[in-house]
Amino acid sequence: MQTEKIILGIDPGTTVMGFGIISVKGNKMELVSIHELILKKYPNHETKLKYIFERTLSLIDEFHPDEVALEAPFFGKNVQSMLKLGRAQGVAMAASLHRNVPITEYSPKKVKMAITGNGNASKEQVAGMLKNLLKLEEFPTKYLDASDGLAVAVCHHFNMGNVSTDKNYTGWESFLKQNPERLK
């Protein structure tokens, strides 16, 4: 008998945060749900972080994922943007760890490579390939950030058992052991 695995993929963001949930039985994967959290309407960064934490917890409580996969922040030129994205990712990680759900991080290039075979693929190319992989007639969301969250979940499925180059945490102790520089 094949067991089902639920994977929650998250694309952290401070304007739009994308979430994709897939079910995997054997090698068959299906879209369970896709969500986007629109954050640009909130007045400050702290409020956005609160909603990211609450939304991540609510998705975990509703869908009971076995694992959470997150896209690591892209290293750009704007340090302030990087700090905000890192905080958004950290809050989503904290919510997952708070519910004792193991997490794995993937770089944006690794996600794109897993989905399209091209680490420099556009968001539109990733969404198009996801539509084919999951046999969707139409893509169910307005924002491509949601498809990026879904892409992280699918990337995780494709890389299960082969995550040695990415970070994988099973709880706070595991996180601190792999990131001793974060302990003060």
Side-chain angles (χ1 to χ4, degrees), residues 20-175:
I21 302 158
I22 61 171
S23 166
V24 179
K25 289 182 188 172
N27 283 329
K28 186 174 190 260
M29 90 182 133
E30 292 181 353
L31 174 66
V32 173
S33 191
I34 190 166
H35 299 268
E36 53 212 16
L37 178 58
I38 310 301
L39 297 160
K40 55 187 164 194
K41 61 186 173 189
Y42 296 110
N44 58 49
H45 191 62
E46 295 79 14
T47 304
K48 292 177 182 185
L49 294 176
K50 175 183 180 278
Y51 283 109
I52 290 168
F53 187 82
E54 289 173 349
R55 185 65 175 135
T56 304
L57 281 179
S58 72
L59 289 170
I60 290 169
D61 291 344
E62 181 178 352
F63 294 101
H64 307 286
D66 298 290
E67 298 178 14
V68 170
L70 294 116
E71 187 170 282
F74 174 75
F75 295 101
K77 294 178 182 176
N78 186 329
V79 175
Q80 287 302 315
S81 293
M82 279 300 304
L83 285 171
K84 288 178 179 178
L85 279 175
R87 289 177 186 150
Q89 182 197 31
V91 167
M93 291 171 87
S96 302
L97 293 171
H98 183 70
R99 291 291 194 253
N100 296 312
V101 180
I103 57 175
T104 304
E105 274 182 275
Y106 294 95
S107 71
K109 277 194 178 286
K110 183 154 188 165
V111 172
K112 291 175 182 180
M113 181 64 90
I115 304 303
T116 67
N118 175 2
N120 295 314
S122 69
K123 286 179 177 279
E124 292 81 9
Q125 289 171 315
V126 171
M129 186 59 82
L130 287 170
K131 193 173 146 187
N132 289 336
L133 286 168
L134 295 165
K135 298 173 183 61
L136 304 173
E137 296 212 10
E138 289 297 320
F139 212 80
T141 61
K142 177 180 174 185
Y143 295 95
L144 291 176
D145 301 86
S147 65
D148 285 349
L150 181 60
V152 179
V154 173
C155 172
H156 184 65
H157 166 60
F158 288 160
N159 285 280
M160 285 197 288
N162 186 25
V163 291
S164 60
T165 59
D166 294 295
K167 295 184 178 182
N168 190 0
Y169 313 115
T170 55
W172 287 114
E173 189 175 306
S174 169
F175 176 82

